[in-house]
Amino acid sequence: MSRRILLVEDEPGLVLTLTDRLVAEGYDVESEGDAVRGLARGSTGNFDVILLDVMLPGGSGFDVCRTLRQRGIQTPIMMLTARGQVVDRVVGLKLGADDYLIKPFEMAELLARIEALLRRGSAPVSSPAVGETFRFGEISIDFRRAEVTKSGQPVELSAREFKLLRYFVEHRGAALSRDELLNEVWGYNAMPSTRTVDVHVAWLRQKIEDNPRHPQYIHTVHGLGYKFVV
Ligand code: CA
């Protein structure tokens, strides 16, 4: 069975060249030309590798990458970045991309990297692994569906609250500074203040703690930030 590649790229010439060559190599190739469609298509999980341009109409490839990982999609992702976006490389890998290639690249290089990603398979490479579901107390989190219940009742969390909760779960037991939470949950290009973290933690406590004034799970670490304990 052919391996399926999703190409998210907005330069028609490059889409044409890459598609021709990858098809000639025996791959099934589908392409999308903007961030929104790329995210939707990638979210199906129907691909073996995703080639993801960084500068896309409708959004950044980094955001697409991050959102795919948040949705539990573990398809290997190779970012395609323009020359000079060196800093992006680090950011991309941090957001859950598996590899990157700087344009213009040699086709042979691309093919070799794709094969390497396929060999590696879809093993999770991003954040510390948590299962598809995680339970503590009366709370149950379904990471794949991004759903939380408390005593069997749905808990409505914003995307940010969910991400914050996920980060807590993945780093349970660790003292997490407000700066770290800002970087990891809000992202490298966001500039909210650390006060933002406190506000969201307060909201999260309201939703998951039995007594938010005396939190059982999300503890305050004075002078630093928070610690999630289960
Ligand atoms: Ca582009």
Side-chain angles (χ1 to χ4, degrees):
M1 208 176 105
S2 295
R3 300 291 206 146
R4 292 150 303 178
I5 295 179
L6 173 62
L7 171 62
V8 186
E9 168 63 61
D10 61 310
E11 292 170 42
L14 191 53
V15 172
L16 206 61
T17 313
L18 290 180
T19 303
D20 280 355
R21 184 60 194 272
L22 291 170
V23 167
E25 295 290 329
Y27 295 107
D28 276 344
V29 182
E30 294 178 33
S31 60
E32 294 291 357
D34 68 65
V36 175
R37 288 159 167 273
L39 176 60
R41 190 73 79 93
S43 296
T44 62
N46 289 337
F47 298 92
D48 297 295
V49 171
I50 298 174
L51 306 180
L52 182 55
D53 184 30
V54 172
M55 299 285 282
L56 289 165
S60 151
F62 289 135
D63 292 333
V64 173
C65 176
R66 181 169 40 196
T67 307
L68 286 171
R69 293 299 184 239
Q70 281 168 3
R71 292 179 178 179
I73 300 296
Q74 294 175 348
T75 310
I77 294 176
M78 173 141 50
M79 306 295 307
L80 306 177
T81 83
R83 190 181 292 282
Q85 294 175 315
V86 179
V87 67
D88 290 353
R89 175 202 145 206
V90 180
V91 172
L93 296 179
K94 207 170 152 191
L95 293 177
D98 300 272
D99 201 358
Y100 71 99
L101 211 46
I102 296 172
K103 299 178 188 175
F105 45 78
E106 297 294 327
M107 194 61 81
E109 177 76 14
L110 176 69
L111 293 172
R113 302 278 194 99
I114 289 173
E115 280 177 27
L117 287 178
L118 288 171
R119 275 198 302 275
R120 208 190 300 171
S122 57
V125 291
S126 49
S127 41
V130 288
E132 283 188 20
T133 59
F134 185 82
R135 291 188 180 82
F136 57 96
E138 298 295 305
I139 306 286
S140 176
I141 308 170
D142 184 328
F143 286 111
R144 200 163 278 274
R145 301 164 67 118
E147 289 172 359
V148 177
T149 58
K150 185 175 185 196
S151 307
Q153 299 300 311
V155 177
E156 297 294 335
L157 294 185
S158 70
R160 190 73 68 188
E161 289 162 357
F162 187 81
K163 193 172 179 192
L164 181 61
L165 179 59
R166 181 180 187 125
Y167 196 80
F168 277 135
V169 169
E170 287 174 345
H171 299 82
R172 51 194 179 274
L176 304 170
S177 72
R178 289 180 177 80
D179 283 335
E180 174 177 349
L181 291 169
L182 260 187
N183 276 333
E184 299 297 333
V185 178
W186 275 260
Y188 65 101
N189 57 358
M191 285 294 166
S193 73
T194 50
R195 172 83 187 124
T196 307
V197 176
D198 298 331
V199 170
H200 280 78
V201 166
W203 288 340
L204 199 51
R205 279 172 170 163
Q206 290 289 338
K207 294 178 180 180
I208 68 167
E209 298 278 0
D210 287 338
N211 182 350
R213 296 169 63 101
H214 299 281
Q216 187 182 351
Y217 304 115
I218 306 175
H219 297 245
T220 299
V221 181
H222 290 288
L224 180 81
Y226 299 95
K227 181 195 279 192
F228 181 74
V229 179
V230 289

